[in-house]
Each structure stands twice: as structure tokens, then as C-alpha cells.
Amino acid sequence: MSDFPTTARVVIIGGGVVGTSTLYHLAKAGWEDCVLLEKNELTAGSTWHAAGNCPNFAPNWAVMNMQRYGLEMYRTLADDVDYPMNYHVTGSLRLAHSKERMQEFEKVASQARYQGLTMDILTPQELKEHNPFMELHDLEGGMLDPLDGDIDPAQLTQALAKGARDAGGRIERFCPLTGLERDGDEWIVKTPKGEIRAQYVANCAGYYAQRVGEMFKPFGGRTVPMVVMSHQYFLTEPISELEAWTKEKGHKLPLVRDVDISYYLRQDKYGLNLGPYERNCKAHWVTPQDPMPDDFSFQLYPDDLERLEFYIEDAMERVPLLGTAGVGRNINGPIPYAPDGLPMIGPMPGVKNAFEAHSFTFGIAQGGGAGKVLSEWIMHGETEMDMWSCDPRRYTDYADHDYCLSKAMETYGHEYAMHFPHHEWPAGRDKKLSANHASLLASGGQMGAYNGWERANWFAQDGDDTSEESTQTWMRDGPWKQRIKEEVEACTNGVGVLDIPGFSRYTLKGEGAAEWLRNQIAGALPKAGRMNLGYFTDNRGRIVTEVTIIRWGEDDFWIMTAAVAQWHDFEFLKSRLPEGGAIELVDITKDWSTLIVTGAKSRELLLEITEGADLEAGWLSIQDATVAGKAAKLFRISFAGELGWEVHTSFDDSASAYEAVKAAGAKPFGMYALNSMRIEKGYRTWKGDLSTDYTLLEGGLSRFLRLNKEQDFPGKAALAREQQQGSKKGFVTLVVEAGDADAPYMSPIWMGDDIVGETTSGDWGYRINKSIALGVVKAEAAKPGTVLEVEIYGERCRAIVQEDQPLWDPENARIRA
């Protein structure tokens, strides 16, 4: 074909709402030379059969931000691109059967308020005022989102496509991807119509994303961690009472979500649309006996209404009108699910110049924002708002087929679940076990998963309630509370030991490694035989990642980082390495394990079981030693803020070291105690307190910034300008007069009648016996002594800005003892 494009800056694979939105945003930004490939007609995948619900509601901050942007865009899109759309902004009601659900609504409503949205908390009777056909039995109350509604998915996609074409984008329908090759830094994208040479490729293939992902494996890709689920909803025949009410009022009923039962019910013309997320759900195309067809365009699965019987019966009790009409049509179609139910948007792990945006369970609501986010990744290598919760690199090698299937089934069946701070979901566990796993369980370890690694969160004793039900609370109090207190006391006055497998670690070696690092981090390097923290910033001076730099020799380093950052940080560092291969970066995470041995008596304990160690060596020193007869590396550092060491051994030797430390008198402690202690010290956590939402200066990390060094690290100019002009935001430690719960992530911080910032983490400090929150606020609110308020599940709690120093041991005398 003479007019078939043979070159492109970007080739997008998939013509659903996400692919067309990405093309639309690229073209609007001036990237006209971009091509979208669709194997059939636009919308042929999940888009065509989607219900088209458009909520703003999302407990996740980044996802709400994405949905807010998209829905705002949709409200003017028809006029913006001159394409008519059926978009009904009806509002929606969420129903709560419990106090805990009402607390979740309060949390999300406050989050929405900070983003400029209004979500109202309602009594049962106020719910009835919005939907007179609804029964109120068993309800605590509910929430109104006045900007919720529904949109025609096909019309939305065609509108985005028209806008993209008008701005210079190209769409090739009936043009499947058949293969990929590389030629230097260029992709060669193969199709039946011809080849396209492209700089970037984006996998937006919906439920075919895993199959498309296989084509990237020869270039460093992985099996895409997703599963295709069967989702059903049905439409009733017209209901005369509903028709009469609609004509009288001049508008449709608000959508109803009974989230504790797990379904939505909305008006569709003069009938009703019921869509459950049933516990007894079903995945498709997950066994060799049930292979994914080559083309399932515009097709559905056979009806399976028996799975929905419980939900249909409950919905008819809630809205009896539902039972007065027959089923007009049932839709049973495929939708993709990532293990946690959140989409994957961002760089494709392991593959240069490849991106992805897929696995959307709410693709219509999120498609507008997803196109914005993905286009930012492609054009700038960074996004306006931190999107880690949707980053594909959050999954690493533990996310095998068994994990993805079991988690997708769990997530789908609990689509509207509350995610409590002390609750661990049971599916997909035990993927990566410490050498001490059996010992941890025998000691009462209550486990949590961290990048697939099982770690103890706390240690239960006989008689403690360790049921899953006990963890389903937003409150601080629970069977863990006394145990955390005891664990903290041991780490303070005696010795505690935490088995912490899975620290991400890489070797960085080769001529020029030190100078390369100096050109990348915002601060200074440690001397040989020492360690320090290093911060990488983007071009805006925002925090990309925090690493611990361990320097063995001039050009010989370990780089250590958070467990969940394993693929993110490895990819990030690798992408910045110079061409030629003189500097080598190798992931050695699985080869090593770590014990944190900390407390006032930790030196005495280690003297009993170590040889060849100088335990008087100062803070941030590193050394080789023998622990319990095994080779080890001792780092003089403690995230708990007490005298302590990290003991690093080979993975296989960690059991010997752990048992020796315990036998010498150390008390096992867990991640909950560690979090409490680190927040008393003001230590930051990655993608909580440290994210690309904040610059290094806004994050309160100026002590790690060296603007006077000669190296021009990324973000240096932006940080220099900010330092000269003054930061608009400041990092604060708050002591909060909290009630029974501590501040969750992204709780609004108030100054009088204005929201001036947000919390980045919160917990109870057992050594100071106070509730603590870390956060970022406007500069004028960051002065020590300022009285603010933190909104915690709807309650505004008095909070005082503290001096810029740790709340516990502000002089750091204990850690340097």
C-alpha cells in the first residue's frame, strides 16, 4: 500500500479506549508522526462490551487523580473534537453496611476534596432522597459522587480517534502486529500491510497484552503478569415506573453501588443494568485446554447467570423494581486483570524504548487519564504525578502464572474490598521464603509479602487473635498492638533482631563507576570502607529513588534499595549507564540476606558471636567479619534509630546467623515495629515519603544536596533555581492528637479552612507514646510550632509542626554510641 506509513516516532498496539487516548494525547502535544495499529476495528476488544461507568471514586491517590483528569476531559470532549457522545453525568450512590465502610468513604471523600472534587457523606434517609426506589435495610449510610455517570465506550473511542487524526495521528485498522525486530535503536514493527520503523513501541493491547508481550521477550521482556477474567452484567427490559419517574424528573437515577455485597446497579434507558463482581468468579484462557483464540473481536462468552444468583437476589431486595422486569440482554465478556486490580502504565520492564498501558479493569473511566500518563512517559521519560502504584515494574519475577491467577481471582471477587493497614491478603503467598521462614513461623510470625518475599510483620503469642477478621479494621488497636510495643522495647533497652530478606542490591563495578555515580546523584559519594544515602532526581529535581551506596573500593560499589524497587531501580540505573560496557551493573538480590540487629545491648551481643570485627568502628562504617562461623558483612547502621548493625550474609548462611543472634538473647521483631521506630526518627520510605511528587528540597533532604559540586547531575539546574527562589512546599513532622487511628497516606492537612498539604505516612510512636505523621505542606505552614489539623477518616485532629529533627533521640546519641 503506497500510503502505508513506513516510519513513526511511536507505534501503539491496540485500538481500544487506552490506545486511542494515548495517540490523542501524543498528537495534541505535537507528536504527529505516531501510528496506532488495530488488528480488527476500533473497540473490538474489551472496550465494545464495557458498561461504561465513570466513577471518580478510588481509594488510591494516583488512580483517583487519573480518573479525575479523564472524566473532566470527557465532559468537554464532544465539543473539543466535534464528535457527539452519549455521556450521562447522573451521580452515584455508594452504600455502606458498616462503620468501617463509612470510614473508608470519609477517607476517600477527604482525598477527593484535596483534588477539587466533592463527595458527600449521606445518612440512609438522604440516600433515599436520591433514589426513592431503594430499600434502606442494613445500611449505616453512604456517599454521593455527583460527577459519576456513564458514557458510551464506542463513541468515546471514536471521539478520541477523531481528535487524534485531526491533530496528525495515524490509525491503521485491520492491521495486526505480526512481529518485532531491532535495528540499532530502532524498532521494526511488522504487519501484513508492511513494516514500520519506529523509535518507541507501546503495548496497549488490552486482554491481548500478554500475547503481544511475548514478542518483546527476545529483547529483554517478560511474561506480562495478567489474567483474563469473565465479567457479566445484564440489562433488564424497560420498567414503566422507571420511565414515568425519569420523564417527571427530567434525569436518570444515580448509579447505586452496594460495595459490601459487590455489585453496581444503574439505570440504562428505562431499564436497569446490574453488574456483580462475584466471589465465585471465573478466569478464561488460563490452561492449555482453554487457549486464547487468535481473534475474539466483538465476541462474548456464553451466559453464566447461575454464578450471579446471590447478587441478583440481594439487588432485588435492595431495589425491588429490579424484580419486576425480565432480562433483556446479558453481556459476558473478557476483561484483563493485573494481580492487584490496578492497571500497568509505564516503561516495559527489561526492554529499551518500549512502554505499556494495559490490564485496565475500569478502562473506560481510566482511559482518558491513562493516555495522558503514557504519553508523558514516552515523550519526557517522567510523569506529572507519581504513578508508582500503576508502574509495570512493581511486579518482578515472583509474579508467575499461579500468582497472577490466584491474585486476579481474589481481587476480582473483592473488587470493592477495603484495604486495611494491618490486613494481608492470603492468595498468592509464599513465593519467596527466607532461609529462616520456618523459624519465624514457629516464633509466631505473622507474615506479609514484600516484593514476593515473606517477612514477619509482628510476632503473636499464645492466645492472640491471628484471624483474618481481626485485621479488618482501620484502628490502631488490635492483637498486634501490645506485641509491637514489646518488640520496640526490646529494640530500645535490649536487643532485637529482624530477618529482612529481599533488600534489592546490585554490584556496580568498572573503571569510571565512581565518577559516573557522582554525575548521577545529587550529593556526595562515601569514601572506601564507608556507606551513605544517595538520591537520584529527575530533570525537575524530583525524587526518583533513594539508594544506599556501599563503597568497597575506588570503583567498586554495592547499591542497595527497597525490596519493591528491585526492577524499577535496576532499570533506572541501567538506562543511565554509558555505552560501551566499561561499567557493569549486576543484580545480586537473591544471593544475599540481611539481619537487623539493634538495641542498646547489640554491641555486647555481637561481641559474643563475631570474629574479626571492630565493633567500635563508627556510624556508617562497613567491614567484613565472621558471624556464627560464617562470612558476613557488617554495616554500622540501623533504620530503627538505635545502636545497631545490619548483618549481611549469603542467603544460605543467614539461618546460622539468625539462630546465633537469637540464642545470644535477641528478641525477634517485625516490620510493624520497624515502621514505628523509623517514623519516630523521621526516616523516609520510598514511594511513601519519597516520590516524584516532591523535589529533593520539598522532601526536606537538602543535607544530601551538593549544588557546589562540578558534576551536572539531572535536576541540578531546577534545584538551584528552587533554592534561590525558595521552595513552595516543605516537609514536616507532625505530632497528631489522633483518636483511635493514625494518619493514612495522603490524608489532607488543614490550616484553618484551607487544605495546605498531605501526609505521606503515619504511625504510632511507641517510644514517645504519640501519634506521628510525616507530610508535605505549603511553605508558610511548615514553620515549627504551627498548629495544623490532619483529617483522619473524616475527623480533623490537631497537629503541631515539630522542629526539623528526630522526635526520638534528636541528637542521634544512641545510634552513634
Side-chain angles (χ1 to χ4, degrees):
M1 296 186 174
S2 58
D3 64 341
F4 184 75
T6 57
T7 61
R9 292 180 84 173
V10 185
V11 171
I12 299 164
I13 304 158
V17 66
V18 174
T20 53
S21 177
T22 302
L23 184 68
Y24 174 71
H25 282 87
L26 287 169
K28 274 188 65 179
W31 280 42
E32 299 178 5
D33 186 17
C34 299
V35 178
L36 182 149
L37 305 179
E38 166 53 45
K39 68 187 299 182
N40 196 281
E41 179 58 89
L42 295 182
T43 78
S46 294
T47 299
W48 81 272
H49 62 74
N53 298 329
C54 290
N56 283 294
F57 184 101
N60 181 287
W61 174 264
V63 172
M64 175 180 275
N65 228 332
M66 185 168 63
Q67 291 177 182
R68 174 198 54 76
Y69 166 86
L71 270 56
E72 185 176 327
M73 182 184 84
Y74 295 171
R75 290 195 287 274
T76 65
L77 184 63
D79 292 334
D80 293 342
V81 301
D82 191 25
Y83 191 94
M85 292 190 301
N86 288 319
Y87 184 20
H88 308 108
V89 180
T90 62
S92 72
L93 303 172
R94 286 178 184 261
L95 313 184
H97 293 245
S98 66
K99 171 190 171 186
E100 288 75 19
R101 184 65 78 175
M102 290 298 290
Q103 288 175 298
E104 182 202 41
F105 288 173
E106 292 277 13
K107 175 182 179 291
V108 175
S110 66
Q111 181 177 290
R113 204 159 28 242
Y114 192 11
Q115 294 193 17
L117 300 168
T118 298
M119 294 184 185
D120 298 321
I121 305 300
L122 304 180
T123 65
Q125 196 55 49
E126 287 170 331
L127 289 167
K128 185 91 171 180
E129 293 171 8
H130 290 278
N131 187 330
F133 302 106
M134 185 171 65
E135 299 296 326
L136 302 178
H137 57 275
D138 300 333
L139 295 183
E140 285 280 329
M143 169 189 271
L144 170 67
D145 175 1
L147 292 177
D148 203 337
D150 59 88
I151 197 167
D152 184 301
Q155 291 175 344
L156 170 61
T157 305
Q158 294 296 345
L160 290 166
K162 181 178 185 298
R165 289 188 183 104
D166 290 347
R170 179 75 177 260
I171 296 175
E172 291 291 330
R173 299 171 301 142
F174 303 101
C175 187
L177 174 72
T178 58
L180 292 166
E181 289 183 3
R182 292 284 283 175
D183 183 8
D185 284 338
E186 283 188 327
W187 288 103
I188 301 174
V189 181
K190 298 186 174 185
T191 81
K193 295 182 179 181
E195 295 180 352
I196 307 174
R197 285 182 171 264
Q199 186 176 0
Y200 304 106
V201 179
N203 180 359
C204 301
Y207 59 72
Y208 275 99
Q210 189 177 83
R211 176 168 288 179
V212 169
E214 295 298 300
M215 298 187 192
F216 289 91
K217 278 189 171 180
F219 313 103
R222 86 298 187 209
T223 298
V224 173
M226 59 169 286
V227 167
V228 179
M229 299 296 295
S230 155
H231 178 59
Q232 291 187 93
Y233 64 91
F234 70 80
L235 309 171
T236 72
E237 296 171 341
I239 301 170
S240 58
E241 292 171 78
L242 189 54
E243 180 178 1
W245 185 91
T246 304
K247 290 179 177 178
E248 178 189 348
K249 300 295 183 181
H251 60 80
K252 294 166 66 175
L253 285 169
L255 184 150
V256 172
R257 289 184 181 86
D258 198 331
V259 289
D260 289 313
I261 305 300
S262 195
Y263 62 80
Y264 68 81
L265 182 67
R266 85 160 200 241
Q267 183 175 345
D268 190 273
K269 298 179 182 177
Y270 297 131
L272 292 171
N273 173 341
L274 177 67
Y277 291 89
E278 69 277 14
R279 295 282 193 275
N280 56 328
C281 52
K282 185 175 182 179
H284 277 278
W285 308 329
V286 292
T287 67
Q289 294 74 35
D290 181 27
M292 175 181 279
D294 289 335
D295 191 353
F296 200 68
S297 299
F298 296 112
Q299 296 183 58
L300 297 171
Y301 303 131
D303 293 353
D304 192 7
L305 285 172
E306 289 184 6
R307 293 205 325 253
L308 311 185
E309 282 184 3
F310 165 79
Y311 304 91
I312 295 170
E313 291 171 1
D314 190 275
M316 287 193 297
E317 291 181 13
R318 179 67 58 202
V319 181
L321 211 58
L322 177 64
T324 65
V327 175
R329 187 185 181 200
N330 188 63
I331 308 293
N332 184 9
I335 55 172
Y337 258 73
D340 61 5
L342 298 180
M344 284 179 250
I345 318 170
M348 185 182 295
V351 186
K352 185 178 180 181
N353 291 346
F355 297 84
E356 52 192 20
H358 54 70
S359 302
F360 289 83
T361 62
F362 297 99
I364 306 306
Q366 296 167 1
K372 172 183 182 291
V373 170
L374 185 59
S375 66
E376 289 169 348
W377 269 123
I378 294 170
M379 294 187 294
H380 311 302
E382 56 197 31
T383 53
E384 179 187 3
M385 52 193 175
D386 192 277
M387 291 299 298
W388 170 244
S389 61
C390 298
D391 195 305
R393 296 167 292 184
R394 70 189 187 271
Y395 295 113
T396 64
D397 56 351
Y398 67 91
D400 57 16
H401 177 71
D402 170 73
Y403 175 85
C404 293
L405 178 57
S406 61
K407 292 300 291 185
M409 298 282 282
E410 179 182 66
T411 301
Y412 181 97
H414 298 83
E415 181 58 62
Y416 298 120
M418 293 175 277
H419 297 276
F420 298 108
H422 295 98
H423 178 246
E424 294 285 339
W425 291 98
R429 299 298 296 274
D430 293 348
K431 286 298 176 183
K432 295 183 180 180
L433 302 181
S434 159
N436 299 303
H437 187 69
S439 178
L440 297 172
L441 294 180
S443 299
Q446 303 302 299
M447 311 304 287
Y450 299 80
N451 190 32
W453 290 98
E454 294 290 325
R455 296 176 180 172
N457 285 328
W458 63 285
F459 288 87
Q461 296 184 12
D462 290 345
D464 288 345
D465 184 358
T466 58
S467 66
E468 189 177 355
E469 290 73 22
S470 71
T471 68
Q472 293 174 345
T473 175
W474 303 108
M475 300 297 97
R476 179 188 314 116
D477 202 358
W480 51 80
K481 183 178 178 181
Q482 179 61 25
R483 303 299 167 232
I484 297 172
K485 184 174 185 292
E486 294 164 356
E487 292 169 21
V488 170
E489 288 173 351
C491 293
T492 307
N493 303 318
V495 190
V497 59
L498 173 61
D499 178 61
I500 190 163
F503 263 133
S504 303
R505 73 185 81 201
Y506 327 111
T507 58
L508 182 75
K509 297 180 180 180
E511 185 178 353
E515 187 57 27
W516 176 79
L517 263 179
R518 287 191 192 95
N519 279 277
Q520 298 300 318
I521 64 170
L525 293 181
K527 296 177 181 178
R530 302 279 294 171
M531 63 190 296
N532 69 6
L533 289 177
Y535 290 88
F536 293 80
T537 54
D538 64 17
N539 293 321
R540 303 163 297 182
R542 297 189 184 188
I543 304 163
V544 175
T545 196
E546 171 198 77
V547 302
T548 301
I549 302 172
I550 298 99
R551 192 171 189 180
W552 304 111
E554 175 61 28
D555 284 321
D556 186 359
F557 298 89
W558 272 9
I559 305 294
M560 291 183 59
T561 185
V564 294
Q566 183 183 2
W567 279 13
H568 175 282
D569 283 6
F570 185 81
E571 297 270 309
F572 175 77
L573 294 171
K574 187 178 178 181
S575 71
R576 290 191 171 192
L577 287 177
E579 299 287 343
I583 303 173
E584 184 181 43
L585 182 74
V586 178
D587 189 330
I588 58 169
T589 299
K590 288 185 176 181
D591 299 336
W592 293 80
S593 195
T594 305
L595 303 178
I596 294 178
V597 181
T598 191
K601 299 180 180 179
S602 56
R603 179 179 283 117
E604 300 165 34
L605 183 148
L606 287 174
L607 280 169
E608 294 180 26
I609 61 172
T610 61
E611 296 178 8
D614 177 8
L615 295 178
E616 298 297 331
W619 177 246
L620 300 181
S621 62
I622 62 176
Q623 58 185 305
D624 289 304
T626 300
V627 177
K630 304 293 185 180
K633 297 181 184 295
L634 298 185
F635 298 171
R636 177 77 192 277
I637 193 170
S638 172
F639 203 49
E642 299 288 346
L643 173 67
W645 284 260
E646 289 179 0
V647 180
H648 299 264
T649 66
S650 72
F651 186 86
D652 292 337
D653 288 343
S654 64
S656 298
Y658 184 63
E659 293 305 321
V661 171
K662 282 204 307 176
K667 179 181 177 66
F669 70 99
M671 298 296 291
Y672 290 168
L674 182 65
N675 192 66
S676 169
M677 291 185 284
R678 72 92 191 165
I679 205 168
E680 289 178 310
K681 294 293 293 182
Y683 296 158
R684 320 294 204 255
T685 57
W686 188 68
K687 292 308 182 186
D689 315 296
L690 305 168
S691 80
T692 55
D693 284 332
Y694 313 115
T695 69
L696 201 64
L697 291 170
E698 290 171 345
L701 297 167
S702 59
R703 64 189 181 278
F704 297 101
L705 176 61
R706 299 289 185 273
L707 287 173
N708 60 351
K709 71 177 186 177
E710 63 183 52
Q711 290 82 12
D712 187 21
F713 61 89
K716 183 177 183 179
L719 288 166
R721 282 195 304 273
E722 183 182 345
Q723 188 177 72
Q724 182 181 33
Q725 298 170 3
S727 299
K728 295 180 180 179
K729 300 177 184 177
F731 193 88
V732 292
T733 298
L734 302 169
V735 170
V736 187
E737 295 177 10
D740 296 326
D742 302 305
Y745 177 64
M746 286 294 171
S747 296
I749 299 174
W750 293 79
M751 189 176 187
D753 294 329
D754 299 319
I755 296 176
V756 293
E758 67 275 357
T759 61
T760 55
S761 57
D763 206 344
W764 185 263
Y766 287 86
R767 291 176 295 198
I768 68 169
N769 204 35
K770 294 176 181 177
S771 184
I772 307 164
L774 305 182
V776 177
V777 297
K778 292 180 179 179
E780 60 268 26
K783 183 179 178 181
T786 303
V787 178
L788 304 172
E789 290 179 304
V790 175
E791 188 170 347
I792 303 177
Y793 304 117
E795 179 184 358
R796 284 167 62 167
C797 303
R798 191 171 186 265
I800 308 297
V801 178
Q802 303 299 297
E803 296 289 341
D804 185 18
Q805 62 186 23
L807 295 174
W808 174 252
D809 185 27
E811 303 301 322
N812 290 327
R814 299 176 70 90
I815 60 177
R816 298 177 184 275

